[in-house]
Amino acid sequence: MRPNKGANTDRSKVPAVLSIAGSDSSGGAGIQADIKTITAHRLYAETAITAITAQNTLGVTVVQNISPDIVAAQIDAVFDDIRPSAVKIGMVSSVEIIEVIADRLSAWDAQNIVVDPVMVATSGARLIAEDAAEALTRRLFPLATVITPNIPEAMALLDYEVDSERTQQNAAMLLTRRFGCASLVKGGHFVNEANDVLAEPAPLDDEGNHLGDPLTTWFRHKRIETDNTHGTGCTLSSAIACALAQGMDLADAVNAGKAYLTGALAAGFDMGKGSGPVNHMWQY
């Protein structure tokens, strides 16, 4: 006899996390990395695929965007049935796709949105059209709880040189002022450090004005010396979304995400001829 669908109340309370991103055929980044990360956090993974890529540890050879109508239909199907508690947005490589994502997330009043502004792959391949960057900042950043650029992405977004912890913190504060969302500027591209800084908007007064400068928090975790870093940005942003879905505040969510990524890097796989993937299931 089939069990009553509502009998297992514990299962029914498992939060869902939606990944809106591109597919990585080698399994180390994108949708595949997000599903693994969400599953490792014992949450329920949902997806809306924005592009199909042919890639491996050496780089990206082909990118085929999904029709914007199909992207919109995927998002609607997810929210109409199993509403996610958090949303992670990764590779969105065209203006039209960005527009429909913003429209559908706004229509569904999505919460806990983490935007990883994927512009360049670890291998150096460009993953976003030039005209999509403006749409990304105009439509998706205002919806975000937090954006998670690395240093090259932060410099591209601001046209501002980041070469020290002082300028890294300034960049996070500038991004938060400009776009109104929290900004986590990741320091993994520095040679000797892997420290990230989070800037959060200051509280609002009764008239809706921010009371002072953005609030900053540093996250200092051990740097893992490894060449196997494929999918690190996807993994961190998904882990932060998982923590937000579980009810953590943003600073605690970032700290938990960093700890998870550190473990995944330390246990990374020496697979392929290039930058190998992290081990998303390292805790098991």
Side-chain angles (χ1 to χ4, degrees), residues 4-20:
N4 186 302
K5 185 176 180 180
N8 191 333
T9 56
D10 288 336
R11 284 197 305 176
S12 68
K13 294 180 181 178
V14 174
V17 178
L18 168 62
S19 168
I20 305 175

Side-chain angles (χ1 to χ4, degrees), residues 193-232:
E193 300 170 337
N195 300 324
D196 302 346
V197 61
L198 173 69
E200 299 179 79
L204 299 174
D205 61 21
D206 293 337
E207 298 179 354
N209 299 311
H210 289 290
L211 297 170
D213 293 330
L215 310 175
T216 57
T217 306
W218 280 93
F219 301 90
R220 303 182 187 279
H221 286 251
K222 178 183 178 181
R223 183 179 184 87
I224 304 300
E225 296 299 332
T226 178
D227 293 327
N228 301 319
T229 58
H230 185 55
T232 52

Side-chain angles (χ1 to χ4, degrees), residues 5 33 38 56 93 100-101 105 109 126 200 229-230 236 249 256 258 278:
K5 185 176 180 180
I38 297 164
N56 54 30
S93 54
V100 299
I101 291 171
L105 292 182
D109 191 26
R126 187 170 183 85
E200 299 179 79
T229 58
H230 185 55
L236 177 60
D249 66 26
K258 283 274 290 179
V278 303

Side-chain angles (χ1 to χ4, degrees), residues 113-115 144-148 181-184 198 240 244 250 254:
I113 299 173
V114 180
V115 178
T145 301
V146 62
I147 60 175
T148 61
C181 58
S183 304
L184 179 71
L198 173 69
I240 293 170
L244 292 173
L250 182 56
V254 171

Side-chain angles (χ1 to χ4, degrees), residues 29-40:
I31 286 284
Q32 287 82 352
D34 296 342
I35 292 172
K36 293 172 187 178
T37 299
I38 297 164
T39 302

Side-chain angles (χ1 to χ4, degrees), residues 51-263:
I52 297 172
T53 70
Q55 67 174 290
N56 54 30
T57 63
L58 296 173
V60 179
T61 55
V62 178
V63 177
Q64 175 65 61
N65 287 333
I66 301 299
S67 163
D69 289 344
I70 299 299
V71 174
Q74 292 177 85
I75 295 170
D76 286 342
V78 166
F79 274 90
D80 189 47
D81 190 26
I82 307 174
R83 183 181 178 88
S85 297
V87 178
K88 173 267 173 77
I89 302 174
M91 179 184 174
V92 284
S93 54
S94 78
V95 174
E96 294 78 13
I97 290 174
I98 290 168
E99 295 283 357
V100 299
I101 291 171
D103 288 344
R104 300 325 302 150
L105 292 182
S106 296
W108 288 104
D109 191 26
Q111 304 296 312
N112 295 322
I113 299 173
V114 180
V115 178
D116 184 21
V118 180
M119 297 178 176
V120 180
T122 301
S123 62
R126 187 170 183 85
L127 296 176
I128 187 170
E130 293 286 350
D131 60 349
E134 186 274 335
L136 182 70
T137 59
R138 176 174 51 85
R139 293 301 314 276
L140 290 182
F141 282 14
L143 300 178
T145 301
V146 62
I147 60 175
T148 61
N150 57 33
I151 285 175
E153 289 161 347
M155 291 194 296
L157 289 166
L158 294 168
D159 192 23
Y160 176 77
E161 182 70 22
V162 178
D163 56 7
S164 66
E165 283 200 352
R166 179 184 62 81
T167 53
Q168 184 182 351
Q169 179 167 308
N170 287 345
M173 295 174 70
L174 287 169
L175 287 167
T176 294
R177 287 196 193 99
R178 181 173 298 182
F179 301 114
C181 58
S183 304
L184 179 71
V185 177
K186 301 174 291 189
H189 281 72
F190 285 140
V191 174
N192 298 317
E193 300 170 337
N195 300 324
D196 302 346
V197 61
L198 173 69
E200 299 179 79
L204 299 174
D205 61 21
D206 293 337
E207 298 179 354
N209 299 311
H210 289 290
L211 297 170
D213 293 330
L215 310 175
T216 57
T217 306
W218 280 93
F219 301 90
R220 303 182 187 279
H221 286 251
K222 178 183 178 181
R223 183 179 184 87
I224 304 300
E225 296 299 332
T226 178
D227 293 327
N228 301 319
T229 58
H230 185 55
T232 52
C234 307
T235 300
L236 177 60
S237 54
S238 292
I240 293 170
C242 288
L244 292 173
Q246 292 171 303
M248 292 188 189
D249 66 26
L250 182 56
D252 287 342
V254 171
N255 197 51
K258 283 274 290 179
Y260 170 76
L261 177 60
T262 298

